Amino acid sequence: MVKRVSLKDIAKEVGVSSALVSYVLNEKKTGRIDKIVAQTIRDTARRLNYRTNQIARSLKTNRTNTIGFIVADISNPFSSSLARIVEDEAAKNNYTVLFGSSDENALKFQNLVEIFLNRHVDGLMLAPGEHAEAQIRYLQQQEIPFVLIDRYFPDIQTNYVILDNFQAAHTAVSHLVNCGYKKIGMIGYQSSIYTLKERTRGYLSALESLTGVMGNALLREVQIDDVEANINEVIDELLAVDEPVDAILFASNEIALHGLIYLNELKIKVPEQLAIITFDGLASWDLFYAPLTYIRQPLQEMGELATKILLENIENTKQLQQFNLPGSLIVRAST
Amino acid sequence: MVKRVSLKDIAKEVGVSSALVSYVLNEKKTGRIDKIVAQTIRDTARRLNYRTNQIARSLKTNRTNTIGFIVADISNPFSSSLARIVEDEAAKNNYTVLFGSSDENALKFQNLVEIFLNRHVDGLMLAPGEHAEAQIRYLQQQEIPFVLIDRYFPDIQTNYVILDNFQAAHTAVSHLVNCGYKKIGMIGYQSSIYTLKERTRGYLSALESLTGVMGNALLREVQIDDVEANINEVIDELLAVDEPVDAILFASNEIALHGLIYLNELKIKVPEQLAIITFDGLASWDLFYAPLTYIRQPLQEMGELATKILLENIENTKQLQQFNLPGSLIVRAST
DNA sequence: TAATTTTGTTTAAACGATTAAACAATTGTC
DNA sequence: GACAATTGTTTAATCGTTTAAACAAAATTA
C-alpha cells in the first residue's frame, strides 16, 4: 500500500509545525492563525489528498466515532431495515456503525460485544437474546454507553426503545374479535425473551378480557433459532382437530412467512377458512393472494430514537431513557 | 467510562516491563521467557480483565484487521445474506467487517469508501454501482487491496467474483423455450452496470438463437433506484396489447417482487396465462400461489471466495483473481 | 579462569495525531 | 519608552502498543 500523507508531510511541505496544521484542519484557534498560512495549509492538504488517520486520532482522543450494533439476525428484514435507519442516522452525526448478527446465539452475542469493545466503539446498540443479562450488567459496570432496542430486561435498569408488545398483541386480538372470529390461536416463540413473552401475554390477556376464554389451549410455540423445525406441526395442532381455530396471530414476520407457506400447501382459504394477522410488515406480504393484516412497528422512529439516546449517552451521561412505542394496526385482506 | 487496563498496568502489577507483557501475551519470543513469569503475566492479565487496545496496536502495526464491505442495498435479502456470509468468513480469519449501503448512489458510495479508508480498513469488498470507475481506479493507484463482488467493470483489471449473468439469462430463456412459451418478455434495469447489462444481453442472444426473434421489442426496463416508479407501466406494455407475452423473465428479486404484486392486482394466472422466471431466490417466493422458478446465485460460494481473495490480497499481493460463477436453474410452479 | 554464548529482561523509539504550555514578535497602553 | 497584552507559532508530552537493540546475569566453552 502506498504510504499515506500525514500531518507532518503537510507541515514539511508548507514549512510550519505539524501542530499548526492540526489546528488549521480541525478549525481550532481559528482566531489566532494567519489567514494566508491557514489557506496554504488547507490547499496543500487538499493537493496532497490528506486524510486524517482516525486510528491515531482515536488513540489520543479516546474516541472512535464508531458505534456497534448487534442485531438478532441481519438477514431478517426487520433487522436489516433497522440497520439502514441506524446507519443513516449515525452518519448524520458523523458516526460509523459496526454491525454484527448474534443469530440468537448467546456465545456469538458475547463474542461480538468483545470484538466491539476491543475496537473501542464509543457505544453499543443491542438487541440482546436469551442469557445476555450478565453481559449487559458488565457493560453497566464498565460504564460503557449502550441502548437496547427491540428487546430489554425488566430486571435491569437500562436505556431501551421497544415496541409496546403487550398492547400490540392486545390490539391484534381485539381486531380479530371485532371481525367476529371466535376461536383465535397464536403461534409465538418458545423463548424467555421478555418482549416476546409480552406478545403472548397480550394475546392471553385480550382473549380473557374480550372473549372470556382462559388459559393457553390455543397458544403454540416454535423454536426461535429454527422456526421451520416445528411450524407445520403446531399449525396442524391448531387446524387438524374437530373444532379448528378460525384465526391465527403470528408473532413475527418469520413465523408468518413459514406459516403461510404451509397454509398454501394445505390450500387453506384466507380469510374465509382462517383469518391471519401478524407482527411486522414485509413487502412480500403482498405476494400472498390475501395481503396480510399486520401490526406495523415504527422502525424509523425506533431507529432514530435509539440512535439519539445512544449518542446523547456517549456525549454526556444522561438520565435513563425508556420508550415503549405503540404499534399500528394495518388492516388488509387477511382478516 | 471506567479506565481500561493497559499493558503498563499489568506490568506494574507483576513487576516487569510492559515489553515483556506484550511479548508474553502475543506469544512472541516464547522460547526465551521464563515459564513462571509468563504464567504470572497471563494470570494477571486475565484477573484484571485485560483487553488489547486495538487502536494502539493498529497505529503501530498499520493493520486494523478490518475490512469494509459496500453493498448496493443492505435491506435487500441478496445483500444481507451476502453480508452475513462474509461476516462469518471474515470472523473465522479474525477480521471484522464494516458494512455500508450505497443505495445505488455514486456519492454515497464514494463517501463510504472515504470513511472506510479513514478508518484504515485493510481492504475493501465492493459491489459498485454506476459512476464508480474513478473511485476504483483510485484504489488501484493507492494499492489498496480490494475485490469486487456481484458487479465489475470489464475495462478495469481487478479481482472480482460475479455470477455468469449472460449464461444465467440464457439458461432462463432456454428453459422457457423448452416449456413451449413463444413470446418471452423481460423486465430488466435501466442501468449501465455491466453485470446487469449482461443479463439483458443473455436474454436477447438466447431469444435470437433459440427462436429467431431479433431485437428488443419485448424488453422493458425499470429504474434501479426506484423499481416501483414504472414497473406497473412496463408490465402493462407487455400484457395489455393484442398479442401479450406468455412469459416474463425478471432480472432481480426486487423487480419480481413488485412485478408479482401487480400481477396479483391484475389477477393474471401464473403460469396458465403467463409464465414467470426470475433471478434470485427468496424465501417469500413461496408465498405466491405458484412458487417461482428462479436462477439461484451461489451466494455462499461467492461470499466465501470473495473473502478469501480479499484476505489473500491483504496478506500479500497476489495475481488477479476473476471468477464468473454459474447460476443454477430451480424449476418450480411458475413455468 | 577468561572469553563466549545463551537466557531473560529492559530500554527506548516509533506509529500519527492532539493540545497544554512556552515562546517570540508585534501591537497597544500609559 | 517601559510594560502589558495580543497574535502567531512551536515545543513537547501523551495516548497504548510493538519491536529492534541493548544489557545483565547465568551457563557453556576453551
Side-chain angles (χ1 to χ4, degrees):
Chain A
M1 237 189 291
V2 170
K3 194 184 164 314
R4 288 175 46 154
V5 177
S6 71
L7 282 188
K8 213 193 277 181
D9 297 325
I10 299 176
K12 206 183 297 169
E13 183 87 5
V14 179
V16 294
S17 70
S18 40
L20 193 59
V21 178
S22 172
Y23 286 131
V24 169
L25 297 183
N26 290 301
E27 296 179 324
K28 300 211 165 156
K29 305 216 179 173
T30 37
R32 315 217 5 198
I33 298 165
D34 188 280
K35 294 231 161 54
I36 299 179
V37 174
Q39 195 53 49
T40 315
I41 288 172
R42 275 189 289 266
D43 291 346
T44 310
R46 168 159 292 265
R47 182 162 54 78
L48 301 183
N49 193 25
Y50 171 75
R51 207 179 279 129
T52 308
N53 183 331
Q54 297 283 356
I55 306 285
R57 172 182 283 171
S58 291
L59 182 60
K60 191 71 203 359
T61 61
N62 214 18
R63 289 284 299 277
T64 57
N65 267 215
T66 302
I67 65 179
F69 184 11
I70 304 181
V71 299
D73 173 9
I74 190 66
S75 66
N76 184 309
F78 175 82
S79 298
S80 50
S81 302
L82 217 42
R84 150 179 285 181
I85 293 165
V86 170
E87 187 192 6
D88 284 350
E89 199 62 20
K92 278 185 207 157
N93 294 281
N94 219 354
Y95 277 77
T96 304
V97 185
L98 283 170
F99 294 98
S101 180
S102 75
D103 306 340
E104 304 293 1
N105 176 328
L107 191 61
K108 206 166 169 198
F109 182 84
Q110 190 176 341
N111 285 339
L112 284 167
V113 170
E114 289 279 324
I115 289 172
F116 287 165
L117 293 184
N118 281 347
R119 299 207 174 278
H120 279 236
V121 296
D122 294 328
L124 290 165
M125 186 176 302
L126 306 170
E130 293 180 308
H131 314 304
E133 292 92 336
Q135 194 78 220
I136 300 293
R137 289 223 161 82
Y138 171 76
L139 295 176
Q140 274 185 329
Q141 178 211 319
Q142 297 292 307
E143 295 170 41
I144 290 159
F146 69 96
V147 60
L148 304 187
I149 188 163
D150 184 42
R151 300 162 173 197
Y152 81 113
F153 300 99
D155 302 341
I156 315 184
Q157 281 298 315
T158 64
N159 297 300
Y160 65 76
V161 178
I162 57 159
L163 179 72
D164 184 340
N165 289 282
F166 179 88
Q167 186 55 49
H170 204 285
T171 303
V173 172
S174 163
H175 166 69
L176 291 172
V177 169
N178 289 341
C179 290
Y181 297 100
K182 302 290 179 209
K183 226 181 147 200
I184 300 168
M186 171 171 182
I187 300 183
Y189 284 116
Q190 176 190 315
S191 162
S192 65
I193 294 171
Y194 186 76
T195 47
L196 294 178
K197 279 257 168 279
E198 281 294 279
R199 295 187 184 178
T200 57
R201 197 172 70 82
Y203 157 78
L204 292 172
S205 151
L207 264 199
E208 185 181 335
S209 66
L210 300 175
T211 71
V213 173
M214 301 275 288
N216 51 6
L218 302 181
L219 172 64
R220 290 294 182 281
E221 292 180 338
V222 294
Q223 278 176 241
I224 193 164
D225 57 352
D226 187 4
V227 170
E228 288 177 87
N230 60 335
I231 178 87
N232 295 6
E233 192 182 321
V234 301
I235 288 182
D236 281 340
E237 287 174 24
L238 294 178
L239 290 180
V241 290
D242 281 348
E243 286 189 54
V245 298
D246 58 3
I248 296 184
L249 164 60
F250 288 123
S252 79
N253 60 16
E254 205 190 2
I255 299 177
L257 176 62
H258 293 105
L260 289 179
I261 290 173
Y262 188 53
L263 293 179
N264 259 347
E265 268 182 47
L266 294 177
K267 306 220 187 299
I268 302 278
K269 279 274 141 207
V270 174
E272 294 80 1
Q273 278 177 274
L274 181 70
I276 297 292
I277 188 167
T278 181
F279 275 77
D280 304 330
L282 223 56
S284 50
W285 289 158
D286 288 7
L287 292 181
F288 195 65
Y289 58 89
L292 294 202
T293 293
Y294 65 93
I295 298 288
R296 189 187 155 278
Q297 298 204 44
L299 287 185
Q300 188 72 34
E301 196 183 351
M302 286 171 77
E304 285 178 6
L305 197 50
T307 309
K308 182 164 158 284
I309 293 172
L310 181 56
L311 297 190
E312 280 176 8
N313 267 265
I314 290 170
E315 308 291 343
N316 49 40
T317 309
K318 292 271 281 206
Q319 290 278 309
L320 278 187
Q321 297 192 60
Q322 311 185 321
F323 289 88
N324 295 262
L325 304 181
S328 35
L329 178 70
I330 311 290
V331 179
R332 299 159 83 223
S334 70
T335 52
Chain B
M1 240 190 290
V2 170
K3 194 183 166 308
R4 287 178 44 155
V5 176
S6 71
L7 283 188
K8 214 192 276 178
D9 296 325
I10 300 177
K12 206 183 297 167
E13 183 87 4
V14 179
V16 295
S17 72
S18 41
L20 192 59
V21 179
S22 172
Y23 285 131
V24 170
L25 298 182
N26 290 302
E27 296 179 325
K28 302 212 165 156
K29 304 216 180 173
T30 38
R32 313 214 13 195
I33 298 166
D34 186 278
K35 293 232 160 53
I36 298 180
V37 173
Q39 195 52 50
T40 314
I41 288 172
R42 273 189 291 265
D43 291 346
T44 310
R46 170 159 289 265
R47 181 161 55 79
L48 300 183
N49 193 23
Y50 171 75
R51 205 180 280 129
T52 308
N53 184 331
Q54 297 282 355
I55 305 285
R57 172 181 283 171
S58 291
L59 182 59
K60 192 71 200 7
T61 61
N62 215 16
R63 290 283 299 278
T64 57
N65 267 215
T66 302
I67 64 179
F69 184 13
I70 304 182
V71 299
D73 174 10
I74 190 65
S75 66
N76 184 308
F78 174 83
S79 299
S80 51
S81 302
L82 216 43
R84 147 179 288 181
I85 293 165
V86 170
E87 186 192 7
D88 284 350
E89 199 61 19
K92 278 185 207 158
N93 294 280
N94 219 354
Y95 277 77
T96 303
V97 185
L98 282 170
F99 295 97
S101 180
S102 75
D103 306 341
E104 304 292 1
N105 176 328
L107 192 60
K108 208 167 167 197
F109 182 85
Q110 190 176 341
N111 286 338
L112 283 167
V113 171
E114 290 277 325
I115 287 171
F116 288 165
L117 293 184
N118 281 347
R119 299 206 176 277
H120 279 239
V121 295
D122 295 328
L124 289 166
M125 186 176 301
L126 306 170
E130 293 181 306
H131 315 304
E133 292 91 335
Q135 194 79 222
I136 300 293
R137 290 222 161 82
Y138 171 76
L139 294 177
Q140 273 186 328
Q141 177 211 318
Q142 297 292 307
E143 297 170 39
I144 290 159
F146 70 96
V147 59
L148 305 187
I149 187 162
D150 183 44
R151 298 161 174 198
Y152 80 113
F153 300 98
D155 301 340
I156 316 186
Q157 282 297 314
T158 64
N159 297 301
Y160 65 77
V161 177
I162 57 159
L163 179 72
D164 185 340
N165 290 282
F166 179 87
Q167 186 55 47
H170 205 284
T171 303
V173 172
S174 162
H175 167 70
L176 291 171
V177 169
N178 289 342
C179 291
Y181 297 100
K182 302 289 179 210
K183 222 177 153 205
I184 299 169
M186 170 172 182
I187 300 184
Y189 284 116
Q190 176 189 314
S191 162
S192 65
I193 295 171
Y194 187 76
T195 47
L196 293 178
K197 279 254 168 283
E198 281 295 279
R199 296 187 183 178
T200 57
R201 198 171 70 82
Y203 157 79
L204 292 172
S205 150
L207 266 198
E208 185 180 334
S209 66
L210 300 174
T211 70
V213 174
M214 301 275 289
N216 52 6
L218 302 181
L219 172 64
R220 291 294 182 281
E221 292 180 338
V222 293
Q223 278 176 240
I224 192 163
D225 56 352
D226 186 4
V227 169
E228 289 176 87
N230 61 335
I231 178 88
N232 295 5
E233 192 182 320
V234 300
I235 287 182
D236 281 340
E237 286 174 24
L238 294 179
L239 289 180
V241 291
D242 282 348
E243 287 189 54
V245 297
D246 58 4
I248 296 184
L249 164 61
F250 288 123
S252 78
N253 60 15
E254 204 190 3
I255 299 177
L257 176 63
H258 293 104
L260 290 179
I261 290 173
Y262 188 53
L263 293 180
N264 259 347
E265 268 182 49
L266 295 177
K267 307 217 186 298
I268 302 277
K269 279 274 140 208
V270 174
E272 294 80 1
Q273 276 179 276
L274 181 70
I276 297 292
I277 189 169
T278 180
F279 275 76
D280 304 329
L282 223 56
S284 50
W285 289 159
D286 288 7
L287 291 181
F288 196 65
Y289 58 89
L292 294 201
T293 293
Y294 65 93
I295 298 287
R296 188 187 157 279
Q297 298 204 43
L299 287 185
Q300 188 72 34
E301 195 183 351
M302 286 171 77
E304 284 177 8
L305 196 50
T307 309
K308 180 164 160 286
I309 294 172
L310 182 55
L311 297 189
E312 280 176 9
N313 266 265
I314 289 171
E315 308 291 343
N316 50 40
T317 308
K318 292 271 282 209
Q319 291 278 310
L320 278 188
Q321 298 193 58
Q322 309 185 321
F323 289 89
N324 295 261
L325 303 180
S328 35
L329 178 70
I330 310 291
V331 179
R332 298 158 87 225
S334 70
T335 53

